[in-house]
Amino acid sequence: MKKIYYLLLVSVLFVVSCSKEELQPIDFPDRPNVNDLTYNDKVVNHFMDIAVNSSDGKYYELLIFKGDINIYLHDGMSQSDENTLRTFVNEIDSTIKNDNIRFNFVTDTINANVFVMSGTQQQYNDYWGYTNTNNFIGATRKFRDINDCSGLEKSSMWYTQGQATMKHEFLHGIGLYHTEVSGNIMNHYIQMGSDELSNMDKDVLYLLYHPDLISESYDCSDVDNLLTTEEVDEIKNKLYHLLETR
């Protein structure tokens, strides 16, 4: 396995997300008998959809913060956005119920590991030294902990408009990914999404940050970030167990 020093994961929202284009709702992909599934089945499927990074049928290691999440709000956020984000973070905090994870708002960048910025893309690029010229309405960059391949060291997020986008990007920053499910907060098309967490989203966050789901630390020199079929099955079995015993 090759050594991974710094894995930069980029999650973006395109401007087309806010277009007026008519888009057909998309139900759970590859789940033809969704009406026959139990609630726990649906939660596990939703977890694999938004909490596990997947591409071309492959799944990658879960990526979460293993300790306190210290949030720094850059100048430029409106008071309304700040108040909404604080309320949203409190909702997430009460959902996770992990004694090892505390959400804190900090006033300096030194102690922060989550950075939230509202403004233009150029302001974001200038602050972080990026040269991204794509026309986004929001973006999140996540940095893997070089000492623990399932852990996040920090994340930075930016949005240019809308509290729904702000919440969406914040969820990216703590470990969630896009979905094609209509009416979900993680849908990458804003007009097909939501600005609220569903009960199933809350269950996914509860599972993702449950101390029994990812209890080990993985040295990046010893593992790659691609999950085997056996590891995917193990995660699903743990999810069912946690749902059935909570």
Side-chain angles (χ1 to χ4, degrees):
M1 310 285 183
K2 65 179 182 179
K3 187 175 181 64
I4 303 173
Y5 288 96
Y6 233 52
L7 179 61
L8 174 62
L9 300 175
V10 180
S11 176
V12 296
L13 279 170
F14 295 96
V15 162
V16 68
S17 305
C18 295
S19 70
K20 301 295 185 181
E21 179 184 0
E22 289 292 329
L23 296 172
Q24 297 300 316
I26 301 174
D27 208 336
F28 290 89
D30 302 320
R31 299 170 201 168
N33 299 317
V34 66
N35 293 328
D36 297 331
L37 299 178
T38 67
Y39 180 77
N40 284 357
D41 290 332
K42 293 178 181 179
V43 172
V44 170
N45 285 340
H46 193 43
F47 184 98
M48 300 305 294
D49 189 21
I50 68 171
V52 184
N53 188 21
S54 61
S55 176
D56 299 325
K58 300 176 182 179
Y59 290 104
Y60 296 84
E61 291 280 1
L62 301 173
L63 195 58
I64 62 170
F65 285 101
K66 299 292 188 70
D68 288 356
I69 298 173
N70 298 321
I71 306 160
Y72 178 79
L73 306 179
H74 288 268
D75 295 339
M77 285 188 68
S78 69
Q79 191 61 54
S80 175
D81 283 3
E82 179 178 339
N83 293 341
T84 297
L85 183 59
R86 287 179 181 272
T87 300
F88 188 59
V89 168
N90 286 337
E91 182 181 12
I92 295 171
D93 192 16
S94 63
T95 297
I96 287 177
K97 299 176 182 177
N98 184 336
D99 292 337
N100 298 320
I101 305 292
R102 293 181 301 175
F103 288 84
N104 308 300
F105 285 87
V106 298
T107 58
D108 61 273
T109 58
I110 296 175
N111 294 314
N113 53 13
V114 172
F115 303 83
V116 184
M117 173 182 284
S118 174
T120 67
Q121 182 171 310
Q122 188 58 53
Q123 288 173 316
Y124 183 76
N125 288 346
D126 290 345
Y127 186 87
W128 289 102
Y130 296 130
T131 57
N132 196 333
T133 57
N134 292 301
N135 197 11
F136 300 149
I137 62 170
T140 299
R141 289 174 168 87
K142 295 183 282 190
F143 298 83
R144 191 183 294 272
D145 188 337
I146 61 173
N147 297 312
D148 180 1
C149 274
S150 61
L152 278 170
E153 179 188 3
K154 65 179 179 180
S155 62
S156 66
M157 62 208 67
W158 152 82
Y159 68 102
T160 186
Q161 56 180 287
Q163 293 182 352
T165 308
M166 175 185 69
K167 292 178 180 180
H168 177 107
E169 295 302 333
F170 186 84
L171 291 170
H172 276 316
I174 63 172
L176 296 189
Y177 298 92
H178 282 145
T179 181
E180 292 184 336
V181 176
S182 60
N184 188 268
I185 194 170
M186 295 313 296
N187 192 296
H188 53 280
Y189 292 107
I190 294 300
Q191 72 270 35
M192 292 183 65
S194 170
D195 64 352
E196 301 292 338
L197 291 169
S198 68
N199 289 334
M200 204 171 294
D201 294 330
K202 293 177 182 179
D203 285 336
V204 168
L205 286 169
Y206 165 80
L207 293 168
L208 182 61
Y209 276 89
H210 196 288
D212 291 341
L213 183 63
I214 305 181
S215 56
E216 304 171 69
S217 294
Y218 299 96
D219 186 334
C220 292
S221 63
D222 296 334
V223 300
D224 58 21
N225 63 323
L226 187 65
L227 293 171
T228 65
T229 302
E230 291 75 15
E231 288 171 329
V232 171
D233 290 341
E234 182 182 357
I235 288 175
K236 290 182 179 180
N237 288 334
K238 283 186 177 180
L239 296 175
Y240 278 111
H241 176 74
L242 292 173
L243 288 169
E244 292 164 0
T245 59
R246 65 175 172 174

